[in-house]
Amino acid sequence: MSRLYSFGFYNLENLFDTADDPNTFDEDFTPYGRRKWTIHRYENKIGKLGKAIASIGKRKIGYSPSLLAVAEVENKTVLKDLLQISHLRDLPLDFIHFDSKDERGIDVALIFNHQDFQLEESYAIHPPEFIENGIQDFTRDVLYTKGKLAGIQIHIFVVHLPSRRNQNINLEKRNAIATLIRHHCSQILYDDPQAKIMIFGDFNSNPEDETIKKYFKTTGYFQNQEPYEFYNPMELMRKEGKYTTKHRDTWILYDQMLFSKGFYLDEKIRLISSHIFNPYFLQEWNRKYNGEPFRTYVGRKYLGGYSDHFPIYTIFKI
Protein backbone atom coordinates (compact mmCIF):
# COMPACT_ATOMS: atom_id res chain seq x y z
CA MET A 1 0.00 0.00 0.00
CA SER A 2 1.49 3.35 -1.05
CA ARG A 3 1.77 6.40 1.18
CA LEU A 4 3.27 9.89 1.17
CA TYR A 5 6.84 10.63 2.26
CA SER A 6 8.68 13.91 2.53
CA PHE A 7 12.43 14.50 2.16
CA GLY A 8 14.00 17.81 3.10
CA PHE A 9 17.01 19.96 3.82
CA TYR A 10 17.60 22.63 6.47
CA ASN A 11 20.67 24.80 7.07
CA LEU A 12 20.56 25.26 10.87
CA GLU A 13 22.78 28.38 10.99
CA ASN A 14 25.70 27.70 13.31
CA LEU A 15 24.28 25.08 15.65
CA PHE A 16 27.18 25.04 18.12
CA ASP A 17 27.22 23.83 21.70
CA THR A 18 28.70 26.21 24.28
CA ALA A 19 31.97 24.33 24.91
CA ASP A 20 35.26 25.41 23.37
CA ASP A 21 36.70 22.75 21.09
CA PRO A 22 40.49 23.29 21.10
CA ASN A 23 40.77 21.76 17.62
CA THR A 24 38.45 24.20 15.82
CA PHE A 25 37.79 27.92 15.56
CA ASP A 26 34.56 27.85 17.57
CA GLU A 27 35.57 30.41 20.21
CA ASP A 28 32.90 32.90 19.08
CA PHE A 29 30.22 30.41 20.10
CA THR A 30 31.17 30.15 23.76
CA PRO A 31 29.79 32.11 26.74
CA TYR A 32 32.79 34.46 26.72
CA GLY A 33 33.23 34.62 22.96
CA ARG A 34 32.19 37.45 20.65
CA ARG A 35 28.69 35.98 20.22
CA LYS A 36 28.23 35.42 23.98
CA TRP A 37 26.80 32.01 23.22
CA THR A 38 25.29 31.00 26.57
CA ILE A 39 23.46 27.83 27.55
CA HIS A 40 20.23 29.85 27.56
CA ARG A 41 20.75 30.96 23.96
CA TYR A 42 21.72 27.44 22.95
CA GLU A 43 18.63 25.91 24.52
CA ASN A 44 16.43 28.57 22.97
CA LYS A 45 17.84 27.79 19.53
CA ILE A 46 17.48 24.00 19.66
CA GLY A 47 13.96 24.42 21.09
CA LYS A 48 13.01 26.58 18.12
CA LEU A 49 14.71 24.29 15.60
CA GLY A 50 12.92 21.28 17.07
CA LYS A 51 9.59 23.02 16.55
CA ALA A 52 10.52 23.92 12.98
CA ILE A 53 11.72 20.42 12.05
CA ALA A 54 8.63 18.75 13.52
CA SER A 55 6.46 21.11 11.45
CA ILE A 56 8.10 20.66 8.04
CA GLY A 57 5.47 19.29 5.67
CA LYS A 58 3.18 18.25 8.50
CA ARG A 59 0.19 20.24 7.28
CA LYS A 60 0.62 18.70 3.84
CA ILE A 61 0.96 15.01 4.75
CA GLY A 62 0.31 14.78 8.50
CA TYR A 63 3.81 13.96 9.71
CA SER A 64 7.40 15.16 9.68
CA PRO A 65 10.04 14.29 7.05
CA SER A 66 11.28 10.74 6.75
CA LEU A 67 14.67 12.13 5.72
CA LEU A 68 16.01 15.55 6.68
CA ALA A 69 19.52 16.55 5.67
CA VAL A 70 20.99 19.36 7.79
CA ALA A 71 24.01 21.64 7.59
CA GLU A 72 26.01 23.70 10.09
CA VAL A 73 25.94 21.31 13.03
CA GLU A 74 29.01 21.18 15.26
CA ASN A 75 28.94 17.63 16.55
CA LYS A 76 26.91 14.67 17.75
CA THR A 77 26.13 16.44 21.02
CA VAL A 78 24.03 19.14 19.37
CA LEU A 79 22.18 16.53 17.30
CA LYS A 80 21.41 14.42 20.36
CA ASP A 81 20.19 17.49 22.22
CA LEU A 82 18.07 18.52 19.24
CA LEU A 83 16.33 15.16 18.99
CA GLN A 84 15.51 15.32 22.72
CA ILE A 85 13.50 18.52 22.33
CA SER A 86 9.83 18.03 23.22
CA HIS A 87 8.66 18.40 19.60
CA LEU A 88 10.94 15.56 18.47
CA ARG A 89 11.68 13.22 21.37
CA ASP A 90 8.66 10.98 20.81
CA LEU A 91 9.38 10.55 17.10
CA PRO A 92 11.40 7.50 15.90
CA LEU A 93 14.35 9.65 14.81
CA ASP A 94 18.04 8.89 14.55
CA PHE A 95 20.93 10.66 12.86
CA ILE A 96 24.15 10.08 10.94
CA HIS A 97 27.09 12.41 11.48
CA PHE A 98 30.85 12.32 11.03
CA ASP A 99 33.27 14.97 12.27
CA SER A 100 35.05 16.65 9.39
CA LYS A 101 38.22 18.72 9.32
CA ASP A 102 36.30 21.93 8.70
CA GLU A 103 38.21 24.71 10.42
CA ARG A 104 35.14 26.12 12.15
CA GLY A 105 33.99 22.66 13.18
CA ILE A 106 30.65 22.64 11.36
CA ASP A 107 29.44 19.58 9.47
CA VAL A 108 26.49 18.11 7.63
CA ALA A 109 24.28 15.32 8.96
CA LEU A 110 21.22 13.27 8.11
CA ILE A 111 18.25 12.94 10.46
CA PHE A 112 16.01 10.02 9.54
CA ASN A 113 12.90 8.22 10.71
CA HIS A 114 14.22 4.72 11.40
CA GLN A 115 10.77 3.19 10.98
CA ASP A 116 10.64 4.50 7.41
CA PHE A 117 14.29 4.32 6.40
CA GLN A 118 16.45 1.24 6.99
CA LEU A 119 20.11 2.27 7.05
CA GLU A 120 22.51 0.04 5.11
CA GLU A 121 25.73 2.03 4.78
CA SER A 122 27.13 5.48 5.51
CA TYR A 123 30.50 7.19 5.32
CA ALA A 124 32.14 10.59 4.87
CA ILE A 125 33.60 11.61 1.53
CA HIS A 126 36.58 13.88 2.08
CA PRO A 127 36.99 16.86 -0.26
CA PRO A 128 40.08 17.23 -2.44
CA GLU A 129 43.09 18.92 -0.85
CA PHE A 130 42.86 22.70 -1.17
CA ILE A 131 45.84 25.03 -0.71
CA GLU A 132 45.10 28.70 -0.06
CA ASN A 133 47.97 31.18 0.43
CA GLY A 134 50.34 28.25 0.90
CA ILE A 135 48.25 26.75 3.71
CA GLN A 136 46.00 23.70 3.48
CA ASP A 137 42.37 24.79 3.66
CA PHE A 138 39.80 22.38 5.08
CA THR A 139 36.08 22.37 4.42
CA ARG A 140 33.08 20.18 5.18
CA ASP A 141 32.96 16.52 4.18
CA VAL A 142 30.19 15.18 1.97
CA LEU A 143 27.99 12.66 3.77
CA TYR A 144 26.99 9.56 1.81
CA THR A 145 24.22 7.25 3.02
CA LYS A 146 22.53 4.24 1.47
CA GLY A 147 19.38 2.60 2.73
CA LYS A 148 15.89 1.41 1.90
CA LEU A 149 12.63 3.31 2.11
CA ALA A 150 9.42 1.41 1.34
CA GLY A 151 11.65 -1.38 0.06
CA ILE A 152 13.37 0.88 -2.46
CA GLN A 153 17.10 1.47 -2.22
CA ILE A 154 18.07 5.15 -2.06
CA HIS A 155 21.49 6.79 -2.23
CA ILE A 156 21.79 10.11 -0.39
CA PHE A 157 24.52 12.74 -0.57
CA VAL A 158 24.45 15.68 1.88
CA VAL A 159 26.62 18.66 0.97
CA HIS A 160 27.57 22.12 2.19
CA LEU A 161 29.85 23.57 -0.45
CA PRO A 162 32.36 26.38 0.26
CA SER A 163 31.00 29.90 0.63
CA ARG A 164 31.10 32.63 -2.00
CA ARG A 165 33.80 34.65 -0.29
CA ASN A 166 37.05 34.64 -2.29
CA GLN A 167 34.80 34.08 -5.26
CA ASN A 168 37.24 32.69 -7.82
CA ILE A 169 39.08 30.46 -5.34
CA ASN A 170 35.93 29.11 -3.74
CA LEU A 171 34.25 28.56 -7.10
CA GLU A 172 37.11 26.21 -7.94
CA LYS A 173 36.58 24.46 -4.62
CA ARG A 174 32.83 24.10 -5.18
CA ASN A 175 33.39 22.71 -8.66
CA ALA A 176 36.07 20.31 -7.41
CA ILE A 177 33.71 18.90 -4.78
CA ALA A 178 30.88 18.73 -7.32
CA THR A 179 33.20 16.75 -9.59
CA LEU A 180 33.93 14.37 -6.73
CA ILE A 181 30.24 13.84 -5.97
CA ARG A 182 29.53 13.38 -9.64
CA HIS A 183 32.21 10.68 -9.80
CA HIS A 184 30.54 8.78 -6.96
CA CYS A 185 27.15 9.15 -8.66
CA SER A 186 28.58 7.85 -11.94
CA GLN A 187 29.88 4.75 -10.19
CA ILE A 188 26.44 4.11 -8.69
CA LEU A 189 24.70 4.67 -12.03
CA TYR A 190 27.18 2.41 -13.84
CA ASP A 191 26.04 -0.47 -11.63
CA ASP A 192 22.37 0.54 -11.80
CA PRO A 193 21.29 3.08 -14.47
CA GLN A 194 17.96 3.52 -12.65
CA ALA A 195 19.49 4.09 -9.22
CA LYS A 196 17.63 6.52 -6.97
CA ILE A 197 20.11 9.22 -5.97
CA MET A 198 19.28 12.31 -3.89
CA ILE A 199 21.72 15.18 -3.37
CA PHE A 200 20.65 17.59 -0.63
CA GLY A 201 22.41 20.66 0.61
CA ASP A 202 23.55 24.22 0.65
CA PHE A 203 25.44 24.49 -2.64
CA ASN A 204 26.31 28.17 -2.19
CA SER A 205 25.14 28.34 -5.80
CA ASN A 206 21.82 29.22 -7.38
CA PRO A 207 20.12 26.59 -9.59
CA GLU A 208 21.34 28.24 -12.80
CA ASP A 209 24.98 28.48 -11.68
CA GLU A 210 27.83 26.49 -13.17
CA THR A 211 28.31 24.20 -10.17
CA ILE A 212 24.74 22.93 -10.53
CA LYS A 213 24.08 23.01 -14.27
CA LYS A 214 27.44 21.83 -15.58
CA TYR A 215 28.33 19.13 -13.10
CA PHE A 216 24.89 17.65 -12.43
CA LYS A 217 23.15 18.41 -15.75
CA THR A 218 20.00 19.53 -13.99
CA THR A 219 16.52 20.40 -15.20
CA GLY A 220 13.52 21.96 -13.49
CA TYR A 221 11.12 19.62 -15.27
CA PHE A 222 10.35 16.23 -13.76
CA GLN A 223 10.53 14.07 -16.85
CA ASN A 224 12.90 11.80 -18.71
CA GLN A 225 14.65 14.01 -21.25
CA GLU A 226 18.18 14.21 -22.58
CA PRO A 227 20.77 15.44 -21.79
CA TYR A 228 19.47 16.14 -18.29
CA GLU A 229 20.43 13.74 -15.52
CA PHE A 230 19.13 15.28 -12.28
CA TYR A 231 15.81 16.94 -11.54
CA ASN A 232 16.08 20.11 -9.45
CA PRO A 233 12.70 21.40 -8.18
CA MET A 234 14.38 24.57 -6.95
CA GLU A 235 15.07 25.64 -10.53
CA LEU A 236 11.46 26.55 -11.27
CA MET A 237 11.03 28.07 -7.81
CA ARG A 238 13.94 30.37 -8.55
CA LYS A 239 12.26 31.45 -11.80
CA GLU A 240 9.05 32.09 -9.85
CA GLY A 241 10.92 34.43 -7.48
CA LYS A 242 11.00 32.07 -4.50
CA TYR A 243 14.04 31.99 -2.22
CA THR A 244 15.36 30.48 1.02
CA THR A 245 17.74 33.14 2.34
CA LYS A 246 18.91 36.70 1.84
CA HIS A 247 22.43 38.08 1.75
CA ARG A 248 23.24 41.79 1.51
CA ASP A 249 19.73 42.69 0.33
CA THR A 250 19.76 39.97 -2.34
CA TRP A 251 17.42 36.98 -2.18
CA ILE A 252 19.15 33.73 -3.09
CA LEU A 253 18.32 30.04 -3.43
CA TYR A 254 21.39 28.09 -2.43
CA ASP A 255 19.42 25.32 -0.70
CA GLN A 256 18.61 22.61 -3.21
CA MET A 257 17.54 19.00 -3.71
CA LEU A 258 18.59 17.03 -6.78
CA PHE A 259 16.94 13.74 -7.79
CA SER A 260 18.34 11.29 -10.34
CA LYS A 261 16.28 9.96 -13.25
CA GLY A 262 15.61 6.77 -11.32
CA PHE A 263 12.93 8.63 -9.41
CA TYR A 264 10.87 9.25 -12.53
CA LEU A 265 11.68 6.04 -14.38
CA ASP A 266 10.16 3.93 -11.60
CA GLU A 267 6.38 3.70 -11.82
CA LYS A 268 6.18 2.95 -8.09
CA ILE A 269 7.35 6.48 -7.27
CA ARG A 270 5.40 9.66 -8.01
CA LEU A 271 6.43 13.23 -7.29
CA ILE A 272 3.63 15.14 -5.61
CA SER A 273 5.10 18.59 -4.91
CA SER A 274 8.13 20.57 -3.71
CA HIS A 275 8.09 23.42 -1.21
CA ILE A 276 10.01 26.09 0.63
CA PHE A 277 8.82 25.88 4.23
CA ASN A 278 8.40 29.49 5.36
CA PRO A 279 5.46 29.77 7.77
CA TYR A 280 5.00 33.01 9.67
CA PHE A 281 6.78 31.77 12.81
CA LEU A 282 10.01 31.27 10.81
CA GLN A 283 9.85 34.80 9.42
CA GLU A 284 11.25 38.08 10.72
CA TRP A 285 8.48 40.33 12.04
CA ASN A 286 10.46 43.58 11.95
CA ARG A 287 8.83 45.70 9.25
CA LYS A 288 12.15 46.50 7.58
CA TYR A 289 13.00 42.80 7.26
CA ASN A 290 9.48 41.45 6.98
CA GLY A 291 9.36 38.05 5.27
CA GLU A 292 13.04 37.23 5.73
CA PRO A 293 14.15 34.22 7.78
CA PHE A 294 14.09 34.89 11.53
CA ARG A 295 17.79 34.47 12.23
CA THR A 296 19.70 33.66 15.40
CA TYR A 297 22.22 36.44 14.72
CA VAL A 298 22.75 39.32 12.34
CA GLY A 299 26.49 39.86 12.56
CA ARG A 300 27.15 39.94 16.30
CA LYS A 301 23.64 41.11 17.16
CA TYR A 302 21.60 38.38 18.82
CA LEU A 303 18.02 38.09 17.55
CA GLY A 304 17.08 34.76 19.09
CA GLY A 305 15.50 33.30 15.97
CA TYR A 306 15.66 29.97 14.18
CA SER A 307 18.01 30.13 11.19
CA ASP A 308 19.03 32.41 8.35
CA HIS A 309 17.63 29.83 5.88
CA PHE A 310 14.14 28.47 5.27
CA PRO A 311 13.92 24.65 5.00
CA ILE A 312 12.97 22.96 1.73
CA TYR A 313 11.21 19.65 1.13
CA THR A 314 9.72 17.43 -1.56
CA ILE A 315 6.77 15.06 -1.21
CA PHE A 316 6.71 11.70 -2.99
CA LYS A 317 4.12 8.96 -3.11
CA ILE A 318 5.75 5.55 -2.85
Side-chain angles (χ1 to χ4, degrees):
M1 182 177 178
S2 60
R3 56 162 276 203
L4 297 176
Y5 297 88
S6 67
F7 312 138
F9 171 73
Y10 196 7
N11 183 319
L12 303 183
E13 189 202 359
N14 293 318
L15 182 55
F16 285 88
D17 61 23
T18 61
D20 180 15
D21 183 341
N23 298 314
T24 63
F25 299 127
D26 69 341
E27 292 82 3
D28 284 357
F29 286 91
T30 58
Y32 302 102
R34 291 192 303 170
R35 302 292 183 95
K36 295 182 170 50
W37 189 236
T38 63
I39 189 66
H40 172 74
R41 291 182 174 184
Y42 171 65
E43 290 176 346
N44 177 65
K45 182 175 177 73
I46 60 171
K48 282 184 162 66
L49 290 175
K51 174 185 175 181
I53 290 169
S55 303
I56 295 172
K58 195 168 185 179
R59 286 192 176 184
K60 297 284 186 182
I61 65 173
Y63 34 85
S64 307
S66 298
L67 299 168
L68 182 70
V70 294
E72 297 202 9
V73 295
E74 184 181 17
N75 49 38
K76 289 179 173 59
T77 298
V78 300
L79 288 161
K80 289 176 181 177
D81 290 346
L82 177 62
L83 296 191
Q84 285 302 308
I85 293 302
S86 59
H87 296 282
L88 300 176
R89 69 167 66 109
D90 294 329
L91 301 179
L93 299 179
D94 204 343
F95 68 85
I96 304 162
H97 166 269
F98 298 98
D99 281 312
S100 73
K101 293 183 179 180
D102 179 78
E103 289 145 345
R104 294 181 59 227
I106 55 172
D107 310 312
V108 297
L110 180 69
I111 298 172
F112 64 98
N113 182 317
H114 59 73
Q115 292 182 354
D116 293 341
F117 181 74
Q118 289 75 52
L119 176 65
E120 295 179 335
E121 181 182 13
S122 188
Y123 54 82
I125 300 172
H126 305 303
E129 182 177 295
F130 300 123
I131 303 296
E132 189 173 333
N133 299 322
I135 301 173
Q136 188 169 4
D137 181 51
F138 295 101
T139 188
R140 281 81 59 176
D141 290 340
V142 176
L143 174 62
Y144 168 75
T145 300
K146 179 175 70 174
K148 286 186 177 178
L149 190 144
I152 297 173
Q153 189 171 82
I154 297 175
H155 304 265
I156 306 160
F157 294 86
V158 186
V159 308
H160 185 189
L161 298 187
S163 73
R164 293 177 79 94
R165 68 174 179 82
N166 301 331
Q167 177 58 16
N168 292 333
I169 295 174
N170 279 10
L171 174 60
E172 292 179 8
K173 294 177 183 178
R174 289 195 296 276
N175 289 348
I177 297 171
T179 300
L180 181 62
I181 298 168
R182 185 53 204 255
H183 174 70
H184 281 266
C185 290
S186 296
Q187 290 182 317
I188 294 168
L189 292 168
Y190 179 82
D191 293 331
D192 178 9
Q194 295 192 23
K196 284 76 173 172
I197 302 173
M198 302 190 295
I199 308 173
F200 294 90
D202 181 342
F203 288 78
N204 270 299
S205 304
N206 285 307
E208 71 276 11
D209 290 347
E210 175 185 12
T211 303
I212 306 296
K213 299 299 286 187
K214 177 180 178 180
Y215 293 93
F216 298 105
K217 295 183 172 63
T218 55
T219 177
Y221 299 92
F222 197 74
Q223 54 189 351
N224 184 18
Q225 54 176 313
E226 297 294 344
Y228 302 112
E229 298 185 10
F230 282 87
Y231 166 64
N232 183 2
M234 299 297 108
E235 186 172 320
L236 292 183
M237 290 190 185
R238 167 84 166 163
K239 292 178 180 178
E240 293 169 357
K242 298 177 181 178
Y243 308 97
T244 54
T245 188
K246 196 172 187 180
H247 180 65
R248 295 180 179 174
D249 298 323
T250 300
W251 282 101
I252 48 184
L253 189 52
Y254 292 168
D255 306 290
Q256 295 171 62
M257 304 176 288
L258 312 183
F259 300 92
S260 68
K261 284 185 178 181
F263 279 94
Y264 45 93
L265 294 174
D266 193 331
E267 295 181 353
K268 294 182 291 185
I269 302 174
R270 184 161 66 93
L271 170 71
I272 302 299
S273 56
S274 297
H275 306 271
I276 295 171
F277 185 63
N278 57 356
Y280 182 74
F281 71 84
L282 286 184
Q283 298 181 25
E284 174 64 64
W285 56 69
N286 184 300
R287 181 176 299 178
K288 181 179 179 181
Y289 305 104
N290 187 45
E292 297 182 17
F294 183 22
R295 307 171 57 156
T296 307
Y297 283 92
V298 174
R300 296 187 191 181
K301 183 179 179 181
Y302 178 70
L303 300 182
Y306 295 74
S307 170
D308 55 354
H309 290 243
F310 292 129
I312 57 176
Y313 69 100
T314 293
I315 299 172
F316 283 90
K317 189 173 186 179
I318 302 176

